[in-house]
Amino acid sequence: GTLNDLNVSGVSTFSNDATFNTANTNGMFFVKASNKLLFGDNVKATFGASDDLEIYHDGSNSYISETGTGALIIDSPNTIFQDGKKVVLGTDSDMQIYHDNSHGYITNSAGNLRIDSDALRLRSLTGSENYLKADVNGPVELYYDGTKKFSTDIGGVQIVGVTTSSSGFSGDLSGNATTATDLAINGT
């Protein structure tokens, strides 16, 4: 049957489904057969003395909202997003991080994509080879097959190996040349 008002003092046991009417008439339901507590659209599950955390669905989107003075903390050893699912940041979905089953992507459609660090490393999956190393107030180094080939320093750049240019070089050059084919110095 249906009870319009129920006042319970003590323990209550429901042996069947239970329906709880809400102000927006979407309701909340306990379905015994599937062991589910169902919330209708715009019916919120709230937690905390001041309803600080809200979980709900508005008919189109699902929400987890921290409405109090604290932060929403997800404490898990791994947060897993399935292939094709994106971490979307920004009101206009400006930045996205995702994997499409073949490749990983970081996209940014507004402003610059900035990586701020005092020591930046781009390395192989195993971490055994550097591609790029950059240090604050220090060198930027580029590697080929794990061997440093190019680096900056206070005086300019250091290049290891053969240097080729299709448009020529300009400025001061120093070092030892083993082969000087078509090398023009001071225009001659």
Side-chain angles (χ1 to χ4, degrees):
T2 301
L3 297 173
N4 290 330
D5 292 311
L6 174 65
N7 295 315
V8 178
S9 174
V11 177
S12 295
T13 302
F14 297 93
S15 59
N16 238 324
D17 295 351
T19 300
F20 303 90
N21 293 323
T22 58
N24 68 6
T25 69
N26 289 334
M28 187 173 77
F29 315 93
F30 176 74
V31 181
K32 181 180 179 184
S34 59
N35 291 318
K36 290 183 181 177
L37 183 58
L38 305 174
F39 293 79
D41 290 341
N42 291 306
V43 176
K44 298 177 180 180
T46 61
F47 303 87
S50 300
D51 298 332
D52 301 320
L53 175 66
E54 298 178 344
I55 302 175
Y56 67 99
H57 183 77
D58 70 1
S60 298
N61 299 297
S62 299
Y63 298 88
I64 299 174
S65 300
E66 166 56 49
T67 60
T69 58
L72 178 62
I73 298 170
I74 299 173
D75 186 9
S76 171
N78 294 299
T79 302
I80 299 172
F81 294 85
Q82 300 299 322
D83 286 337
K85 307 301 180 193
K86 298 178 179 183
V87 174
V88 179
L89 305 170
T91 303
D92 295 322
S93 304
D94 300 327
M95 184 173 173
Q96 300 179 3
I97 303 171
Y98 62 97
H99 189 270
D100 71 358
N101 196 35
S102 297
H103 305 287
Y105 298 89
I106 299 174
T107 63
N108 184 58
S109 61
N112 296 321
L113 175 61
R114 296 180 181 185
I115 300 173
D116 294 333
S117 176
D118 286 344
L120 176 65
R121 305 291 185 262
L122 296 180
R123 305 183 319 169
S124 64
L125 178 63
T126 62
S128 62
E129 281 191 30
N130 286 311
Y131 305 138
L132 177 139
K133 287 172 59 176
D135 294 306
V136 68
N137 300 322
V140 173
E141 301 171 349
L142 297 176
Y143 291 75
Y144 176 80
D145 197 19
T147 302
K148 181 171 57 171
K149 295 295 183 175
F150 182 93
S151 67
T152 62
D153 64 28
I154 196 164
V157 297
Q158 301 290 321
I159 301 171
V160 177
V162 175
T163 304
T164 305
S165 171
S166 62
S167 299
F169 295 97
S170 65
D172 296 330
L173 299 174
S174 65
N176 298 320
T178 57
T179 304
T181 305
D182 298 325
L183 179 63
I185 299 175
N186 292 330
T188 59

